């Protein structure tokens, strides 16, 4: 496949945005993509930020033609734990029709499909690319960039591929994304670590206090989040919308996860809990001794990282306020608590029947030989809500990955058949858009 070789080169760049040691690599990935777009006739600009640059590129052929803005990101998650990878994360390897590498599906492979689709494209459409290097850290500089450059980014449709198909061989149009509120909670006890024999029984233990707090964040029977006001702004899902959803094979999902039950909020189906209900999950807990053997220490500090996935019409800042107030109310005497707001994003709903969505549905059906299914997605892409608000343009969310692509985990992959068909469908979409414009 002609699109594969440059993708392997792109994937070999360790553009890990969370790790300062890879700052030059992140920039190298931006420059690599900039060069490829310039070869295709784009005028490109690299906008510097305090962290990683934003790449903007445009190829404007005709002021009367429709304009498409493609969004994606070139940064990737850290590859750890390295020992669980079957092949090195930044030495892309093709096995059994899949490419394995960090960023293969999230998001370099899917982004590359949009670039590769332009080879030989004859459709008369204007194209713009907005590609960031900070998506994996919450897009802190892209959102202000979008607000400041509304006219530059103006388009008739926004096209995003940074998600998953509902199932293998099932073309999917996503019309909803959950939002995100991500916090870090730190508890301070004594001013230094203490010997548990000398001070056990009188010294505060932040790990124990975190356990008490965690136990009061969710109801252990119903699975409901206990933060006061958390559900006040949750928009109910209509029965009409639920009829759009494909059936979920719950047994297959249990098998994929290696579990016997699918826990969650009582009274809602697994699919509704995945797509249309808010969540609260501790993502990490730290404190005390983590090494081999024993060390009888009462730690001075402990903490946890906490993510809340949000749905329309929840606001991440409002939820952060509610969560912080509740956490501080739960903090037992004798401890000092700090709540840090790491990043967030607003939830998104788009019109599944907008004209661009209908055109993409037609393109997918022509390429895959079956009509697409319509789905929401549980993940978050912070900039989508911002683009929707700032530009007022319809958004088409075309996921080309799969739910078992191991995003953010070892052995991330991208199916090459999805790459190939994705390229064809995107190319066909541009043709249909030009004809309709």
């Amino acid at each position: 496949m002609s699109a594969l070789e440059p993708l392997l080169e792109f994937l070999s760049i360790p553009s890990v945005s969370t790790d300062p040691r890879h700052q030059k690599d992140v920039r190298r990935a931006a420059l690599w993509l900039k060069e490829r777009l310039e070869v295709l006739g784009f005028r490109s600009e690299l906008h510097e930020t305090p962290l990683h640059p934003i790449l903007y590129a445009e190829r404007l052929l005709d002021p009367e033609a429709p304009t498409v803005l493609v969004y994606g990101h070139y940064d990737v998650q850290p590859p750890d734990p390295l020992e669980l990878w079957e092949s090195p994360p930044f030495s892309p390897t093709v096995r059994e029709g899949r490419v394995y590498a960090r960023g293969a599906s999230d998001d370099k492979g899917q982004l590359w499909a949009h670039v590769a689709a332009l080879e030989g494209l004859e459709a008369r459409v204007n194209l713009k690319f907005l590609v960031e290097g900070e998506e994996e850290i919450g897009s802190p500089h892209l959102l202000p960039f979008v607000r400041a450059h509304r006219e530059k980014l103006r388009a008739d449709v926004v096209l995003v591929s940074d998600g998953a198909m509902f199932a293998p061989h099932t073309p999917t149009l996503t019309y909803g994304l959950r939002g995100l509120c991500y916090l870090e909670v730190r508890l301070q006890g004594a001013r230094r670590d203490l010997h548990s024999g000398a001070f056990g029984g009188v010294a505060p233990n932040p790990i124990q206090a975190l356990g008490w707090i965690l136990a009061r964040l969710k109801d252990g029977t119903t699975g409901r989040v206990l933060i006061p006001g958390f559900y006040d702004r949750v928009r109910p899902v209509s029965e009409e919308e639920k009829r759009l959803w494909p059936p979920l094979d719950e047994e297959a999902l249990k098998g994929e996860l290696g579990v016997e039950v699918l826990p969650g909020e009582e009274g809602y189906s697994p699919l509704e809990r995945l797509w249309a209900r808010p969540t609260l999950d501790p993502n990490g807990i730290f404190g005390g001794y983590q090494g081999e053997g024993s060390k009888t220490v009462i730690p001075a500090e402990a903490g946890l990282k906490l993510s809340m996935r949000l749905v329309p019409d929840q606001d991440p800042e409002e939820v952060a306020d509610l969560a912080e107030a509740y956490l501080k109310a739960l903090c037992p005497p004798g401890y000092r608590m700090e709540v840090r707001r790491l990043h967030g994003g607003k939830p998104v709903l788009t019109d599944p029947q907008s004209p661009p969505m209908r055109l993409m549905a037609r393109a997918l059906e022509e390429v895959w030989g079956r009509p697409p299914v319509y789905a929401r997605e549980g993940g978050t892409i912070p900039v989508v809500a911002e683009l929707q608000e700032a530009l007022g343009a319809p958004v088409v969310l075309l996921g080309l990955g799969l739910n078992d692509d191991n995003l953010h985990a070892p052995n991330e992959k991208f199916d090459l058949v999805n790459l190939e068909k994705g390229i064809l469908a995107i190319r066909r979409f541009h043709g249909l858009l030009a004809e309709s414009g």
Side-chain angles (χ1 to χ4, degrees):
M1 183 189 302
S2 60
L4 180 57
E5 187 174 343
L7 174 59
L8 298 181
E9 187 178 336
F10 194 21
L11 291 171
S12 70
I13 303 172
S15 50
V16 182
S17 55
T18 59
D19 189 341
R21 294 173 299 177
H22 287 290
Q23 186 166 5
K24 290 182 179 179
D25 296 314
V26 178
R27 184 179 186 83
R28 185 156 58 95
L31 292 171
W32 185 95
L33 187 61
K34 181 177 185 288
E35 181 181 329
R36 295 307 179 281
L37 288 170
E38 289 173 349
V39 168
L40 292 168
F42 282 76
R43 184 186 67 81
S44 65
E45 306 165 356
L46 212 59
H47 293 264
E48 302 297 337
T49 80
L51 289 176
H52 306 301
I54 296 166
L55 172 61
Y56 172 77
E58 62 181 21
R59 190 176 73 181
L60 307 180
L61 302 178
D62 184 347
E64 301 300 318
T67 300
V68 177
L69 173 66
V70 177
Y71 163 79
H73 65 94
Y74 60 83
D75 65 320
V76 302
Q77 280 277 318
D80 309 81
L82 295 175
E83 66 273 12
L84 297 183
W85 284 80
E86 294 181 18
S87 51
F90 296 110
S91 296
T93 303
V94 176
R95 300 193 300 270
E96 299 178 345
R98 305 178 182 97
V99 58
Y100 288 83
R102 174 56 86 228
S105 184
D106 181 22
D107 177 46
K108 288 180 177 177
Q110 299 198 54
L111 172 61
W112 179 247
H114 288 272
V115 180
L118 305 182
E119 289 282 358
L121 178 69
E122 297 181 358
R124 200 153 186 80
V125 293
N126 301 312
L127 285 155
K128 300 177 180 180
F129 276 75
L130 177 66
V131 191
E132 65 166 320
E134 299 176 354
E135 195 275 344
E136 299 294 2
I137 52 175
S139 304
H141 298 105
L142 185 67
L143 305 188
F145 179 87
V146 169
R147 297 180 195 126
H149 296 86
R150 286 185 173 92
E151 288 307 313
K152 179 192 290 284
L153 300 173
R154 191 71 61 191
D156 298 296
V157 56
V158 178
L159 196 52
V160 180
S161 291
D162 188 14
M165 298 160 62
F166 181 73
H169 316 296
T170 306
T172 303
L173 283 172
T174 301
Y175 68 92
L177 299 168
R178 286 194 291 199
L180 176 66
C181 174
Y182 200 107
L183 306 178
E184 181 178 295
V185 183
R186 289 180 174 267
L187 277 186
Q188 182 76 35
R191 63 183 180 182
R192 66 179 190 277
D193 288 356
L194 300 171
H195 189 292
S196 66
F199 294 96
V202 297
N205 189 321
I207 296 177
Q208 181 65 70
L210 279 180
W212 296 329
I213 291 170
L214 271 174
R216 297 173 68 185
L217 290 178
K218 291 172 79 170
D219 186 295
T221 301
T222 66
R224 284 181 64 83
V225 176
L226 297 177
I227 298 171
F230 184 77
Y231 293 100
D232 286 357
R233 294 168 67 89
V234 172
R235 187 191 307 179
V237 181
S238 68
E239 292 303 317
E240 180 183 6
E241 181 182 347
K242 290 180 187 178
R243 285 193 286 272
L244 275 177
W245 295 353
L248 175 69
D249 187 336
E250 295 184 24
E251 293 306 314
L253 179 56
K254 291 176 188 176
E256 179 188 335
L257 300 179
V259 299
E260 296 182 0
V261 296
L262 299 172
E265 188 184 359
E266 189 175 79
Y268 299 92
S269 70
L271 198 57
E272 192 166 0
R273 299 200 304 263
L274 280 169
W275 288 355
R277 297 297 297 173
T279 66
L280 181 149
D281 287 293
N283 301 132
I285 188 163
F286 52 92
Y289 180 62
Q290 306 292 329
E292 292 291 331
S294 62
K295 182 181 180 183
T296 53
V297 63
I298 298 174
E301 185 182 47
L304 64 88
K305 295 181 185 291
L306 192 68
S307 68
M308 290 164 279
R309 297 290 174 170
L310 311 179
V311 298
D313 296 302
Q314 290 178 299
D315 178 81
E317 284 301 315
E318 182 178 290
V319 170
D321 289 342
L322 294 171
E324 182 171 351
Y326 184 59
L327 286 162
K328 288 184 174 179
L330 292 179
C331 185
Y335 299 89
R336 296 181 299 280
M337 176 182 284
E338 179 187 7
V339 179
R340 300 177 181 176
R341 302 183 185 193
L342 298 189
H343 58 260
K346 294 180 180 179
V348 171
L349 273 184
T350 66
D351 179 5
Q353 299 303 323
S354 71
M357 286 281 270
R358 290 200 298 268
L359 291 178
M360 184 60 84
R362 180 177 162 188
L364 292 171
E365 185 168 3
E366 289 182 15
V367 171
W368 259 273
R370 58 181 296 183
V373 300
Y374 291 85
R376 291 203 199 186
E377 190 169 299
T380 305
I381 308 175
V383 74
V384 173
E386 195 66 40
L387 288 170
Q388 193 177 44
E389 291 179 13
L391 306 184
V395 178
V396 175
L397 295 162
L398 173 66
L400 298 174
L402 293 173
N403 286 317
D404 67 352
D405 277 346
N406 295 322
L407 274 60
H408 299 198
N411 301 307
E412 182 179 348
K413 68 172 180 63
F414 189 38
D415 282 32
L416 296 182
V417 66
N418 293 346
L419 173 63
E420 182 177 13
K421 289 189 174 183
I423 291 170
L424 294 175
I426 293 164
R427 190 176 292 154
R428 181 59 178 141
F429 169 79
H430 291 314
L432 292 170
L433 185 65
E435 293 169 11
S436 69

